[in-house]
Amino acid sequence: MVELHIHLDGAIKPETILYYGRKRGIALPADTAEELQAIIGIDKPLSLPGFLAKFEYYMPTIAGCREAVKRIAYEFVEMKAKEGVVYVEVRYSPHLLANSKVDPIPWNQAEGDLTPDEVVALVSQGLQEGERDFGVKVRSILCCMRHQPNWSPEVVELCKKYRHQTVVAMDLAGDETMEGSSLFPGHVKAYEEAVRSGIHRTVHAGEVGSPEVVREAVDTLKTERLGHGYRTLEDEALYARLRQENMHFEVCPWSSYLTGAWKLGTEHAVVRFKHDQANYSLNTDDPLVFKSTLETDYQMTKEGMDFTEEEFKRLNINAAKSSFLPEEEKEALLDLLYDAYEMPPPAAAGLHP
Ligand SMILES: [Zn+2]
């Protein structure tokens, strides 16, 4: 399996949070991994702000600590290896893990000496050591945050600086219902610079935000993929255009249920995507908070929406094709999948877009 949409800070082991809570003397609302998971995790649909509030519990135990930041990256790769993932792109905001040269300092931390730049260096090291030890190919995506356009210029510079150390792209995350946030000059300029420097781009849009947010992501921010993108379907003309352009939708089924982005009893966007044989992938988003693994998302679509093995193969091949790997590495990943699926690779090389 290939996974393109997962947040590093939403994929931490509860044991690791407890460990650093104790070590650093940061109070947590639980003493065991099970209790902690129960408090951080969600079972029933929650609003997006309610969901984002979960991070307040545990981010202070990891942020600002060099050892913790590197360790969550390393353990992330181990986690994905156990799930049978062969390639993953993991995203995070370097600023939300820092406690120095970041304004404001997140999570009510005291000022320290871990900068966003060093966070990227540490995460990249952790990921690379994980790649080596667990045999999963990993790349990373650095997130801009909608409410902090002042961070975005540095995000794109860090993408450039660390582009040969796992970083392949930039994302825009956070609350997309924040009025006009796609058009904040800080974000727009950073995305322009990404285009200029050959940094790949994705944007969270159309999860809870309107089709207009999707349009801004595509037209203004020149995104190459859409994080979620479900509400694109409310604008048939826009959807038809994006289908034409072979836009990739990073679908997170279980996440969309628990964040309330998808309402039970209505048709899930991914059913339409399947019906239209659109370009999309299945992803976990924040497995710590959603108490899930990639298997949860595959089971949900298989049992609740009649997805077949055939469709799973097709969507994983599309995920590989829409990954942000350089062409040659993409070909190698596709060969790996064709092999695993016992499918003949397309005869003509030209068939790979
Ligand atoms: Zn996300």
Side-chain angles (χ1 to χ4, degrees), residues 78-216:
E78 182 179 28
M79 194 187 300
K80 287 296 136 183
K82 286 184 183 152
E83 291 178 20
V85 170
V86 294
Y87 175 67
V88 57
E89 288 175 7
V90 60
R91 62 187 71 194
Y92 64 100
S93 159
H95 295 81
L96 290 180
L97 289 168
N99 63 5
S100 172
K101 296 194 179 161
V102 51
D103 178 31
I105 297 174
W107 319 113
N108 293 315
Q109 297 174 92
E111 184 165 5
D113 60 0
L114 182 55
T115 63
D117 189 315
E118 200 186 340
V119 165
V120 180
L122 289 164
V123 170
S124 297
Q125 282 167 25
L127 295 178
Q128 285 172 324
E129 288 175 20
E131 275 193 300
R132 191 196 57 207
D133 291 354
F134 305 113
V136 180
K137 192 176 177 77
V138 188
R139 295 293 178 267
S140 63
I141 297 173
L142 304 185
C143 301
C144 302
M145 299 305 296
R146 285 197 180 260
H147 64 293
Q148 294 293 350
N150 57 318
W151 294 350
S152 296
E154 189 180 17
V155 173
V156 69
E157 289 310 313
L158 291 172
C159 288
K160 287 154 69 175
K161 180 172 176 183
Y162 290 97
R163 70 195 310 172
H164 299 298
Q165 290 153 73
T166 80
V167 180
V168 287
M170 190 162 85
D171 176 39
L172 178 56
D175 183 3
E176 58 168 312
T177 61
M178 188 176 194
E179 200 69 37
S181 58
S182 310
L183 306 179
F184 290 164
H187 300 321
V188 174
K189 289 200 186 107
Y191 271 78
E192 282 170 0
E193 180 56 24
V195 172
R196 258 194 305 276
S197 328
I199 299 295
H200 288 294
R201 300 158 306 283
T202 183
V203 172
H204 280 74
E207 178 184 15
V208 289
S210 70
E212 188 52 33
V213 181
V214 174
R215 202 174 291 110
E216 289 164 353

Side-chain angles (χ1 to χ4, degrees), residues 5-7 91 171 173 204 207 227-228 250 252 255 285-286:
H5 189 127
I6 176 164
H7 298 258
R91 62 187 71 194
D171 176 39
H204 280 74
E207 178 184 15
H228 307 276
E250 303 162 354
C252 310
S255 156
D285 208 7
D286 296 285

Side-chain angles (χ1 to χ4, degrees), residues 35 66 114 194 197 200 205 218 227 247 250 256 323 325 348 350:
E35 283 169 23
R66 290 182 172 77
L114 182 55
S197 328
H200 288 294
V218 175
M247 175 60 73
E250 303 162 354
S256 69
S323 74
L325 286 172

